[in-house]
């Protein structure tokens, strides 16, 4: 049995039980530390900073706030500052200096209801252009914020009067390869995926994948948009090739059914955009690799360009927990290191081996 | 109806219409080995597997497994085969792998701690220069969720406040703008949008405000993006990202990668430029050489391509890719159409590296025939040694000779440039690679004897180009001529002609009745190579056997016979021969590969008892074995080795010699002098006439306080090279250890006479003189441990050391009159690492004159040194002057180039200098002035 060791292995390195419900965990860039965001039983929000130290997670700092945290990102801050943007159950967007977190650096009542998801771009050397945070909420709106502008968003994507409000479950930035171009992708509970072009301030593309969209992510935020993965409530996910947009067919995609339950998260490996991991509702993780087709665009019957999707190959799958894995984050600095949190109130640091050989 | 009847019935129909019964379930008859084995329908097999797994029809673990295997053989990626697995833990990995991972992780933790600490210290530029960040996008612009193109116009964001940059106008696409204006008519059916944003990617990144660490991170990130784009075949995009990475921090790896991407785009000129840049920074970068060869080939400069490929083969003789490419190029040259560029794309090097460390992996020999068949693919060891030196020598000599990195990259100037890189290149070229002289044709084990017997002839014959009359061992001239002609023909690929020549030579040999089995062995072996190339394995085996009778356990005939057996599918014999080869020389990669392959074949063929059917593998006597360094050298083994060394090929012993010497040097660096002594002693057994080894061994003896032996070695070294400074110096130390102070003193004086700049010697002399006086006074002084200040592991440079160094130790001219004198003074200061002197020098010259004084001498090292002097010495004294010097420095010739190629440490120095400068108070400048100046320095 030599073959199993040729594949990447997912190794559970550290497991830490917590005394609160954890919703999100993120590596702090340029460090061996991570933040955990969650909800205490008494209804307050908690933010913990752990440091990986010799096979242990050592608690560095704990901050408690009035409202439970739902999500966080470092995407819109510089590598020197590393300020954390968070969204909470009350619809607030805060930006914290983790060294002095008594008062937020930036605070706005962003939404009427819970902020389900947020994403940042323009910081960490990722993407040219202004630092911006996008938030998606149960109130059906998606808003883009610039930390330099108080109180009002720079863009607001909301249903018009009379249109049904759908719960926005996930948002992601992409296409930020120069100072002007930038896109936001949002996924809704009815299976809608919408791509907003922030340069033209218009919806560039929309589709429906029939099941609620749990997570969307571009393979990289700071390149000309290349691929988009969207995961669904029913255990399938789509990989869209974002290079060629057909006027009627839109983007080509490949559908893959990996999990038997909801896919909560998808995260691309920061060191290789064609490798990504999905986290499922049954506590399992699947590691995938996307293979490009020989030609990425072909011709339709009228001679117009139409995209061609590639194939997705499973590299490894493991079961970690009986509860859903709600968040997943690759270390931007150390290839193969990732952290995930599950609803069994624990956070796990994983090592994925042999990623450089896939 | 029995189960088998059903399945046979189904198979006769060869349809699977009856695969499901009326309930939509798999009929129970299908759950059977025979059916599963024949079933080709993946979907149906998946269904069967599902039923089996569910246990509805009972639990049959073996059948289950069988079904899985069958499915796997039909469709290895089938989803039904996916199984949930528990997460691996540390225990599920081999211990060493896990400990490696842990170590790696630990290292990363420590590194990231440092990184974080350095991140917390913001640069002085933080918070300024934010004009690069675009303004806030707007305020609360509402974007409707519907995809309604008509609403686009309404919701256009307010015009950007800033006017377009000039750079933006360069990218202004008139056609696209026109289309946009005309868009009204064609709104009904817009064309597909193809995101090929590489044209809009900014190729320069503004990093003025970033710290060094951030820049490195960003640069590597851009490189990763480039690599990813490359893998996805987006070469244009990859080039854009590599360019970005280079604009942040230029590195060899990225230049190299960009060259490869440009090759893919067939932009030869640019690819060539990138290769040149790499080679300027790292003259022997194999990948760059290979890529440049590809470019040259496509540009039609076949000789240049061949030259590059030979350079690669000199460093890595078994690089099959290069060898293959070279034969191709040589063929083109011979065909006499070197002017025609090749149509179509033949790109040789397909892989792209993540990091330079993995660089050489793809170049391992895979085809056992490649190294075996070639008569001449070995590099003679003398060149190897030289190559090592060339690699170490900085390319200082060639820098200023007109072939500056930005000179127009026409073919002529490449040649010139390469020649300018120091004489060694020419030497190689002339030395062996264009002459199939005796040294080149050396093959087989017997050759060493002949080269040793006539070393003068071998050396003399080499530079003369094609010398067919070169003497060859004990062969009489006509036979030698035949043999050399044969070698030449073989090299040119005319195997049957070469065969004729060798046959004639063999016939002549037997007639003349010379008693030289080695030479006959070589002839047979060479003829065997020809037979092998012609595909005549039978004859090849015969010749090899004859050669081996004459000279048992000779490597090449063995390998050739193995290959021949292999090609005749007589695997057992081939296996035995390969195994024998490995006993002789364990480092023959081709033999390893073949043994592995044949083992598999034989196991398949003969089952687990395959070993019993093998012919006897002869036991190779100690004396014929090579590359066995593990055990401690017993006297007998050493004896045997010395004997073998005397007979072995010049190549092998030289290789071994350099290897041993390097190992010795390594040990010295590590402080394991006892081990180093052993290595050097072995070296000297191989080559007793090597002066540097004696001096090195003397150093080791000194360190272990065996002064008498040290003295002996120094004496031996001085016998070989009567003016060797090091030998004198070390003998002085040895004499001092032996308390022979007068001798020590005279040796030191000798050293100082040769080179007055050796400060250690001066110090020693003082000490020794004092000791001498003491001993004269008291008669006997207590024995004192000798402090040895000098550790010199790198003796290869001793020749360079003993070359006269002008100005060294002498006073530095502080009032240079012209650029030449200034350069002399600066170099003198730099070679002594005397930044204070440099500061003095700089303070004595008029800042306005600096660019003129530097003329075209500015390079990275000079710049770094000047900045160091300014920062550490002059800044404290006279910040105003520093400012003026810096202001004039940036208009010096080559400044921009040098700045771009500065190393990290030097860059850090620049930042540091400006930080200090901005902190300093002076009437001559304001903080803003410093800021402006800093922007010119920090790119």
């Amino acid at each position: 049995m030599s073959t199993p060791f040729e594949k990447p292995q997912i190794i559970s390195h550290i497991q830490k039980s917590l005394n609160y419900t954890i919703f999100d965990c993120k590596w702090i860039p340029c460090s061996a530390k991570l933040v955990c965001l969650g909800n205490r039983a008494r209804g307050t929000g908690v933010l913990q900073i752990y440091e990986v130290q010799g096979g242990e997670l050592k608690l560095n700092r704990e901050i408690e706030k009035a409202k439970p945290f739902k999500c966080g990102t470092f995407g819109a801050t510089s590598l020197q500052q590393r300020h954390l943007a968070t969204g909470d159950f009350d619809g607030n967007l805060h930006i914290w200096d983790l060294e002095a977190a008594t008062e937020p650096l930036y605070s706005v009542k962003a939404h009427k209801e819970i902020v389900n998801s947020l994403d940042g771009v323009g910081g960490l050397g990722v993407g040219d252009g202004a630092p911006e945070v996008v938030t998606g909420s149960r109130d059906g709106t998606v808003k883009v914020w610039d930390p330099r502008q108080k109180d009002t968003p720079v863009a607001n994507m909301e249903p018009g009067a009379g249109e049904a409000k759908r719960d926005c479950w996930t948002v992601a930035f992409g296409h930020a390869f120069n100072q002007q171009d930038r896109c936001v992708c949002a996924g809704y509970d009815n299976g809608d995926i919408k791509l907003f072009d922030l340069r033209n301030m218009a919806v560039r593309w929309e589709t429906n994948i029939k099941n609620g969209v749990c997570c969307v992510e571009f393979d990289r935020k700071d390149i000309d948009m290349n691929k988009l993965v969207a995961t669904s409530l029913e255990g399938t996910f789509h990989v869209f090739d974002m290079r060629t947009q057909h006027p009627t067919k839109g983007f080509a995609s490949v559908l893959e059914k990996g999990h038997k339950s909801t896919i909560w998260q998808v995260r691309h490996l920061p060191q290789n955009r064609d490798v990504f991991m999905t986290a499922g509702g049954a506590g399992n993780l699947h590691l995938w690799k996307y293979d490009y087709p020989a030609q990425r665009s072909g011709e339709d019957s009228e001679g117009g360009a139409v995209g061609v999707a590639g194939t997705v190959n499973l590299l490894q799958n493991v079961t970690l927990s009986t509860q859903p894995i709600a968040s997943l984050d690759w270390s931007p600095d150390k290839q193969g290191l990732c952290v995930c949190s599950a609803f069994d109130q624990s956070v796990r640091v994983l090592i994925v081996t042999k990623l450089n050989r896939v | 109806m029995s189960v088998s009847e059903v399945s046979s019935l189904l198979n006769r129909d060869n349809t699977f219409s009856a695969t499901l019964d009326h309930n939509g379930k798999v009929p129970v008859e299908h759950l059977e080995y025979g059916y599963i084995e024949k079933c080709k329908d993946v979907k149906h097999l998946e269904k069967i597997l599902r039923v089996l797994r569910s246990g509805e029809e009972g639990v049959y673990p073996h059948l289950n497994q069988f079904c899985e295997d069958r499915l796997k053989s039909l469709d290895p990626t089938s989803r039904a085969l996916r199984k949930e697995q528990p997460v691996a833990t540390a225990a599920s990995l081999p211990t060493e792998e896990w400990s490696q991972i842990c170590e790696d992780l630990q290292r990363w933790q420590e590194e990231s701690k440092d990184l974080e600490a350095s991140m917390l210290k913001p640069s002085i530029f933080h918070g300024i220069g934010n004009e690069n960040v675009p303004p806030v996008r707007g305020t609360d612009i509402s974007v409707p969720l519907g995809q309604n193109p008509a609403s686009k116009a309404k919701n256009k964001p307010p015009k950007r406040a800033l006017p377009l940059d000039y750079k933006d106008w360069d990218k202004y696409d008139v056609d696209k703008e026109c289309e946009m204006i005309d868009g009204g008519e064609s709104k009904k059916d817009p064309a597909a949008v193809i995101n090929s944003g590489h044209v809009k990617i900014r190729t320069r990144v503004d990093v003025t405000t970033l710290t060094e660490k951030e820049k490195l991170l960003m640069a590597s990130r851009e490189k990763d993006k480039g690599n990813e784009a490359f893998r996805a075949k987006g070469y244009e995009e990859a080039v854009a990202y590599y360019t970005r990475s280079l604009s942040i921090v230029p590195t060899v790896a990225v230049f190299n990668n960009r060259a490869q991407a440009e090759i893919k785009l067939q932009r030869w000129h640019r690819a060539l430029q990138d290769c040149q840049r790499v080679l300027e920074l790292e003259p022997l970068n194999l990948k760059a050489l290979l890529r440049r060869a590809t470019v040259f080939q496509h540009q039609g400069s076949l000789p240049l391509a061949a030259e590059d490929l030979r350079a690669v083969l000199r460093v890595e003789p078994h690089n099959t890719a290069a060898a293959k490419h070279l034969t191709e190029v040589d063929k083109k040259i011979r065909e006499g159409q070197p002017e025609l560029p090749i149509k179509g794309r033949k790109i040789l090097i397909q892989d792209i590296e993540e990091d330079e460390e993995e660089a050489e992996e793809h170049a391992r020999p895979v085809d056992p025939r490649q190294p075996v068949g070639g008569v001449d693919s070995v590099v003679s060891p003398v060149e190897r040694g030289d190559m090592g030196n060339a690699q170490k020598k900085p390319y200082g000599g060639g820098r200023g000779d007109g072939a500056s990195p930005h000179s127009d990259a026409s073919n002529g100037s490449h040649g010139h440039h390469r020649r300018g890189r120091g004489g060694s290149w020419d030497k190689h070229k002339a030395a062996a690679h264009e002459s199939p002289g005796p040294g080149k044709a050396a093959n087989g084990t017997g050759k060493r004897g002949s080269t040793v017997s006539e070393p003068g002839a071998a050396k003399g014959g080499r530079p003369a180009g094609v010398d067919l009359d070169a003497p060859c061992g004990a062969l009489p001239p006509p036979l030698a001529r035949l043999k050399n002609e044969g070698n030449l023909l073989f090299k040119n690929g005319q195997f049957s002609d070469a065969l004729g020549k060798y046959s004639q030579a063999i016939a002549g040999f037997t007639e003349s009745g010379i008693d030289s089995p080695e030479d006959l062995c070589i002839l047979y072996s060479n003829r065997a190579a020809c037979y092998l190339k012609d595909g005549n394995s039978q004859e090849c085996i015969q010749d090899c056997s004859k050669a081996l009778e004459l000279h048992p356990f000779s490597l090449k005939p063995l390998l050739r016979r193995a290959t021949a057996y292999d090609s005749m599918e007589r695997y057992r014999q081939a296996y035995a021969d390969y195994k024998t080869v490995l006993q002789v020389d364990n480092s023959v990669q081709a033999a390893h590969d073949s043994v592995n392959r044949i083992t598999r074949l034989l196991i398949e063929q003969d089952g687990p008892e395959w070993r019993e059917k093998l012919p006897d593998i002869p036991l190779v006597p100690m004396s014929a074995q090579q590359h066995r360094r593990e055990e401690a050298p017993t006297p007998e083994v050493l004896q045997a080795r010395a004997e073998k060394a005397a007979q072995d090929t010049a190549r092998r012993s030289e290789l071994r010699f350099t290897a041993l010497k390097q190992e010795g040097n390594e040990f010295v660096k590590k402080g394991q002098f006892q081990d180093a002594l052993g290595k050097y002693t072995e070296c000297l057994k191989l080559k007793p006439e090597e002066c540097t080894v004696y001096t090195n061994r003397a150093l080791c003896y000194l360190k272990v306080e065996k002064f008498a032996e040290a003295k002996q070695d120094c004496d031996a070294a001085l016998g070989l090279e009567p003016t060797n400074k090091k030998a004198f110096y070390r003998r002085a130390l040895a004499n001092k250890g032996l308390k022979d102070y007068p001798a020590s003193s005279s040796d030191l004086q000798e050293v100082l006479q040769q080179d007055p700049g050796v400060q250690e010697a001066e110090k020693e002399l003082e000490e020794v003189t004092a000791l001498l006086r003491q001993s004269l006074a008291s008669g006997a002084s207590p024995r004192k441990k000798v402090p040895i200040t000098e550790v010199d592991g790198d003796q290869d440079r001793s020749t360079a050391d003993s070359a006269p160094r002008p100005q060294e130790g002498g006073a530095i001219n502080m009032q240079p009159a012209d650029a030449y004198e200034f350069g002399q003074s600066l170099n003198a200061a730099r070679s002594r690492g005397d930044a204070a002197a440099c500061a003095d020098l700089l303070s004595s010259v008029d800042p306005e004159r600096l660019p003129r004084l530097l003329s075209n001498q500015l390079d990275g090292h000079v710049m770094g040194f000047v900045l160091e002097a300014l920062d550490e010495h002059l800044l404290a004294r006279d910040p105003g002057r520093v400012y003026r010097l810096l202001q004039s420095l940036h208009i010096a010739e080559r400044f921009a180039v040098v700045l771009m190629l500065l190393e990290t440490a030097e860059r850090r120095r620049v930042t540091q200098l400006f930080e200090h400068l901005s902190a300093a108070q002076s009437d001559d400048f304001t903080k803003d002035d410093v800021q402006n100046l800093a922007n010119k320095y920090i790119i």
Side-chain angles (χ1 to χ4, degrees), chain B residues 262-278:
Chain B
E262 299 278 16
I263 287 176
K264 293 274 189 189
L265 291 166
Q266 297 183 291
R267 296 201 291 231
W268 309 117
H269 191 69
R270 291 193 195 179
L272 186 62
Q273 279 178 338
D274 281 340
C275 290
Q276 302 281 51
R277 293 284 273 283
V278 175

Side-chain angles (χ1 to χ4, degrees), chain B residues 21 129 141 185-186 198 221 401 447 529 534 578 643 673 686 794 904:
Chain B
D21 65 10
I141 305 161
E185 285 94 341
S186 59
H198 54 262
R221 202 184 151 81
D401 65 354
K447 195 62 205 171
D534 269 357
Y578 279 128
E643 271 171 29
F673 299 105
L686 288 172
D794 201 353
T904 329

Side-chain angles (χ1 to χ4, degrees), chain A residues 10-12 80 132 148 153 156 179 204 220 222 224 242-243 245 247 256 273 316-319 334, chain B residues 82-85 88 93 104 126 132 134 137 140-141 143 147 190 192-193 195 197 214 225 228 237:
Chain A
I10 301 175
I11 304 161
S12 170
Q80 284 165 26
E132 282 176 335
R148 294 170 296 175
N156 182 0
Q179 296 210 340
R204 175 159 172 184
R220 277 197 184 251
D222 55 344
D224 189 9
M242 304 299 277
R243 280 291 155 90
Q245 184 179 8
E256 177 69 45
R273 68 182 185 190
Q316 187 59 272
N317 61 324
V318 295
T319 309
K334 177 80 188 147
Chain B
R82 285 180 195 162
K83 277 188 195 159
E84 288 299 320
Q85 285 162 348
L93 285 180
D104 192 32
H126 194 73
N132 296 308
R137 203 173 282 277
D140 211 1
I141 305 161
V143 182
Q147 192 177 13
V193 182
N195 289 321
E214 281 177 290
K225 278 154 72 177
E228 286 169 350
E237 204 185 338

Side-chain angles (χ1 to χ4, degrees), chain A residues 120-315:
Chain A
V121 75
L124 306 178
V126 178
D128 288 342
E132 282 176 335
V133 177
V134 60
T135 55
S137 159
R138 189 179 288 164
D139 68 7
T141 59
V142 174
K143 293 178 182 173
V144 181
W145 307 87
D146 189 318
R148 294 170 296 175
Q149 176 170 290
K150 295 268 172 228
D151 304 329
T152 47
V154 294
N156 182 0
M157 289 141 248
E158 59 184 341
E163 281 179 65
K165 288 190 174 171
R166 304 307 316 203
D167 189 347
C168 174
W169 280 350
T170 174
V171 287
F173 269 120
H175 203 46
F177 66 101
N178 63 19
Q179 296 210 340
Q180 292 81 37
D181 283 289
R182 191 167 286 190
C183 282
V184 168
C185 186
Y188 296 85
D189 64 343
N190 61 349
D192 273 350
I193 297 174
K194 289 178 195 287
L195 185 69
F196 303 101
D197 188 337
L198 290 183
R199 182 179 188 154
N200 299 322
M201 289 294 176
V203 174
R204 175 159 172 184
W205 167 71
E206 60 188 329
T207 190
N208 188 294
I209 61 166
K210 297 190 180 69
N211 286 307
V213 185
C214 297
C215 187
V216 291
E217 195 189 45
F218 286 96
D219 57 353
R220 277 197 184 251
K221 295 174 194 171
D222 55 344
I223 57 170
D224 189 9
M225 53 181 174
N226 183 48
K227 286 190 335 272
L228 175 81
V229 179
T231 70
S232 80
L233 206 55
E234 297 295 321
T236 58
F237 66 89
H238 295 252
V239 185
F240 294 94
D241 186 312
M242 304 299 277
R243 280 291 155 90
T244 313
Q245 184 179 8
H246 188 269
T248 52
K249 290 178 187 142
F251 297 107
S253 77
V254 57
L255 169 78
E256 177 69 45
K257 182 165 174 59
H259 301 250
K260 295 188 178 68
S261 52
T262 308
I263 306 182
W264 282 72
Q265 282 263 308
V266 55
R267 287 289 175 258
H268 287 84
L269 186 67
Q271 291 82 12
N272 184 349
R273 68 182 185 190
D274 301 325
V275 174
F276 56 93
M277 184 121 91
T278 53
N284 41 20
L285 293 174
H286 289 204
L287 185 68
W288 306 89
K289 179 166 190 286
Y290 181 84
D291 288 315
Y292 293 98
Q295 284 290 329
R296 291 186 68 178
S297 68
E299 281 187 3
D300 64 1
S301 51
E302 285 144 28
V306 60
V308 179
T311 51
V312 178
N313 290 315
L314 181 69
L315 296 177

Side-chain angles (χ1 to χ4, degrees), chain B residues 489-520:
Chain B
L489 287 167
F490 185 92
K491 221 180 119 190
N492 290 341
Q494 294 155 287
F495 302 120
S496 56
D497 297 342
L499 190 76
K501 295 284 176 197
Y502 287 134
S503 300
Q504 280 177 33
I506 291 171
F509 194 93
T510 31
E511 274 167 29
S512 61
I514 311 161
D515 180 32
S516 171
E518 274 96 358
D519 286 300
L520 191 57

